[in-house]
């Protein structure tokens, strides 16, 4: 008898449930504060088949809990909406001519948005009263992929951007996050962080491998 195929959505639900249960347990067992955070992303994809890809600016927003484990160590689980992806330029006339130069070429900017629900599980080690080192695993679930193509040669103000969107079907991404936290006040901090994906996005293409990367700058507010 065939088993039903596993679906990443089940892992999302399980992760959210675990987040809630851990939070409820820690409220009674440890000093716990909750907060909101948000800021810009600067992301792309690195590895095989990524020549010509450029970083793109986007953003993230979400909630987190900060759990005191000891005087210098804290656990910070987060639940974020994070827009990542990349951008690149193409020359339609050159492509249609097999890569050769063509008079009157049309330049297009392709902006690929990979919109994720991310779950960073961050440990924070205090270097002093004002600076933390942040590190830990991060899991991401692809909500959708949005492709925006714009003709850069349009100079008459006409907006010919074309937008398409496809479901991400909660495709799993995972990797490692590393950053710093700078405490500004009792409630406000900022945290630059780097993320490098460890799951090959091209596992269906033989030996080709590429990975998500992102730089984030978060403004955090603790209640």
């Amino acid at each position: 008898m065939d088993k039903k195929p596993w679906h990443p959505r089940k892992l999302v639900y399980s992760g959210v449930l675990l987040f809630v249960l851990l939070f409820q347990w820690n409220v009674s067992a440890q000093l716990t504060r909750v907060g909101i955070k948000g800021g810009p992303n600067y992301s792309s994809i690195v590895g095989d088949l990524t020549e010509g890809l450029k970083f793109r600016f986007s953003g993230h927003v979400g909630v987190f809990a900060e759990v005191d484990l000891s005087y210098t160590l804290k656990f910070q689980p987060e639940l974020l909406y994070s827009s990542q992806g990349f951008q690149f330029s193409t020359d339609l006339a050159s492509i249609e001519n097999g890569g050769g130069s063509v008079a009157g070429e049309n330049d297009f900017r392709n902006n690929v948005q990979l919109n994720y629900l991310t779950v960073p599980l961050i440990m924070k080690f205090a270097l002093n009263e004002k600076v933390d080192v942040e590190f830990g695993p991060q899991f991401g679930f692809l909500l959708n992929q949005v492709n925006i193509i714009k003709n850069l040669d349009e100079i008459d103000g006409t907006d010919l951007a074309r937008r398409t969107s496809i479901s991400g079907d909660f495709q799993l991404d995972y990797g490692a996050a590393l950053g710093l936290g700078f405490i500004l006040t009792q409630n406000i901090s900022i945290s630059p962080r780097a993320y490098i994906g460890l799951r090959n996005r091209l596992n269906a293409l033989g030996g080709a491998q590429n990975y998500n990367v992102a730089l984030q700058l978060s403004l955090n507010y603790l209640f």
Side-chain angles (χ1 to χ4, degrees), residues 27 57 73 127 153 157 178 183 191 223:
V27 165
F57 280 104
L73 190 64
L127 296 179
D153 291 337
L178 177 65
I183 301 170
S191 52
F223 294 102

Side-chain angles (χ1 to χ4, degrees), residues 43-47 55 84-86 114 116 138 140 142 171-176 195-201 210-215:
S43 63
S44 190
I45 292 176
V46 297
F55 279 73
Q84 297 171 199
F86 55 92
L114 302 175
Y116 283 93
Q138 176 175 305
L142 185 61
Q171 178 182 337
L172 176 65
D173 181 54
Y174 54 81
Y195 170 76
I196 175 67
L198 299 177
R199 183 182 184 186
N200 181 18
R201 302 183 69 257
N210 63 38
Y211 305 92
N212 285 308
V213 293
L215 300 175

Side-chain angles (χ1 to χ4, degrees), residues 2 18 20 53 112 126 133 167 170 200 204 214:
D2 294 337
L18 179 61
V20 173
L53 299 189
V112 180
V133 175
S167 173
F170 282 78
N200 181 18

Side-chain angles (χ1 to χ4, degrees), residues 74-166:
K74 297 178 181 179
F75 173 54
Q76 182 169 298
E78 304 175 358
L79 186 63
L80 308 175
Y81 170 81
S82 180
S83 181
Q84 297 171 199
F86 55 92
Q87 62 180 356
F88 62 97
S89 297
T90 58
D91 190 306
L92 183 60
S94 177
I95 292 173
E96 293 176 344
N97 193 47
S101 179
V102 178
E105 297 173 343
N106 295 320
D107 293 325
F108 291 84
R109 177 183 296 149
N110 299 262
N111 194 318
V112 180
Q113 301 175 11
L114 302 175
N115 299 317
Y116 283 93
L117 178 68
T118 63
V119 185
L121 302 175
I122 303 299
M123 301 300 295
K124 300 171 63 175
F125 179 79
L127 296 179
N128 53 49
E129 294 183 353
K130 293 294 184 180
V131 181
D132 296 325
V133 175
E134 303 182 352
F135 57 92
Q138 176 175 305
F139 303 91
F141 306 92
L142 185 61
L143 301 175
N144 65 345
Q145 175 177 320
V146 179
N147 301 323
I148 301 175
I149 303 176
K150 185 172 184 179
N151 188 347
L152 300 180
D153 291 337
E154 288 296 327
I155 59 176
D156 60 357
T158 303
D159 184 6
L160 295 181
R162 291 177 292 173
R163 180 188 182 98
T164 59
S165 177
I166 59 175

Side-chain angles (χ1 to χ4, degrees), residues 4-75:
K4 292 183 178 179
W6 176 85
H7 198 287
R9 189 178 290 109
K10 296 180 181 179
L11 184 58
V12 177
Y13 296 153
S14 299
V16 172
L17 178 60
L18 179 61
F19 181 92
V20 173
L21 292 175
L22 285 173
F23 172 74
Q24 289 179 336
W25 178 81
N26 278 297
V27 165
S28 59
Q30 305 286 342
L31 176 60
T32 301
R33 302 172 69 187
V34 297
I36 56 176
K37 65 183 302 179
N41 292 345
Y42 191 51
S43 63
S44 190
I45 292 176
V46 297
D48 299 325
L49 308 179
T50 60
E51 183 178 357
L53 299 189
K54 299 179 181 178
F55 279 73
R56 67 176 291 265
F57 280 104
S58 50
H60 65 279
V61 65
V63 297
F64 66 95
E66 184 182 85
V67 183
D68 286 348
L69 301 179
S70 71
Y71 182 73
T72 58
L73 190 64
K74 297 178 181 179
F75 173 54

